[in-house]
Amino acid sequence: MAAHDREHLAFLDVVVPEAARGSLMATLHATREHAAQFYDLLDALADLEPGDPRVAHAAEALTALLPADLVPPVSDQKAGGLMDNIFADLAPAQRRAVRDAMRLIAERREGRTQAR
């Protein structure tokens, strides 16, 4: 998974405008302390079905690990482009958990739901 993350970082380095690249990299750097937790959560989902109840629990846990600054607004979380590239290497349950976590973060940021 780390190799894929390096590929994603190289991809972001190309597609993110230079003016925004510094703040993006600073935000990503700040997430390093939670990387092991993030990967452990995803690894536990690798062989599960997307509808398994553990996926929803993992999504909720991921909300504490994903920086809100990196999560696009709900309206921008449709299929296509960069998001498809990032999710392509995830198993179905992993993809569901990360998408759900991003949706929860965006909704909370936009005031649509209350944090639990």
Side-chain angles (χ1 to χ4, degrees), residues 5-6 30 46-48 58 72 85 92 98 103 106:
D5 287 348
R6 284 190 294 277
D47 297 322
L48 299 181
N85 183 304
V98 174
R103 179 186 46 76

Side-chain angles (χ1 to χ4, degrees), residues 18-104:
E18 188 173 342
R21 207 172 299 143
S23 66
L24 171 64
M25 292 304 150
T27 300
L28 289 172
H29 184 74
T31 65
R32 288 181 330 163
E33 68 184 77
H34 302 294
Q37 279 182 279
F38 182 82
Y39 290 123
D40 287 347
L41 282 167
L42 290 183
D43 287 346
L45 302 175
D47 297 322
L48 299 181
E49 293 297 319
D52 188 294
R54 292 172 284 184
V55 174
H57 293 293
E60 188 64 41
L62 287 170
T63 64
L65 304 176
L66 292 171
D69 297 355
L70 294 182
V71 176
V74 173
S75 61
D76 291 345
Q77 292 185 22
K78 47 192 165 274
L82 178 60
M83 300 312 288
D84 283 352
N85 183 304
I86 290 172
F87 292 127
D89 299 319
L90 298 177
Q94 294 170 326
R95 191 168 33 250
R96 167 66 61 86
V98 174
R99 283 190 189 276
D100 287 353
M102 290 174 57
R103 179 186 46 76
L104 287 168

